[in-house]
Amino acid sequence: SNPSTTFVTCERHGLNNDGRLFPCRSNENCMSSGSIKIAAKFSPPWSYATETSDSYEAFSSLLKVVKEVKDVRIAEIDLNKLYLRVEYPSKV
């Protein structure tokens, strides 16, 4: 454990009733491609090379790439909804 970094979990995460990502609140330490109203909290969706139109195969490809990213922690996976939530250490 590194005392200069910590994991801060946002209060709301996941998908809302419309199947869209919850946005980050202004007082939370998070980034989301669903945070379109708060520019400082917006992060564009990850782009990665995939050569398939099959969404499950593309999600599997994304998951493989994410697992290779240093310091990433996979916090939640929903294969039915093709939802992936990851956490990174952050200086808070």
Side-chain angles (χ1 to χ4, degrees):
S1 175
N2 184 340
S4 67
T5 59
T6 187
F7 280 101
V8 176
T9 301
C10 298
E11 293 177 21
R12 297 180 313 159
H13 49 76
L15 304 173
N16 65 20
N17 292 337
D18 295 331
R20 297 181 184 266
L21 293 172
F22 279 111
C24 297
R25 292 181 175 146
S26 60
N27 63 341
E28 293 178 325
N29 183 28
C30 68
M31 301 292 291
S32 174
S33 56
S35 292
I36 58 173
K37 293 184 179 181
I38 304 174
K41 301 288 183 179
F42 177 76
S43 179
W46 286 0
S47 63
Y48 56 97
T50 183
E51 296 180 10
T52 182
S53 60
D54 180 89
S55 56
Y56 290 96
E57 190 175 328
F59 187 78
S60 178
S61 174
L62 173 65
L63 193 54
K64 181 180 176 186
V65 170
V66 168
K67 288 179 178 180
E68 295 173 0
V69 177
K70 184 181 180 207
D71 295 331
V72 70
R73 183 175 81 124
I74 297 174
E76 184 178 355
I77 300 173
D78 186 332
L79 297 175
N80 294 321
K81 295 180 180 179
L82 301 177
Y83 171 75
L84 174 65
R85 181 170 59 94
V86 298
E87 297 175 344
Y88 292 93
S90 171
K91 293 183 179 182
V92 184

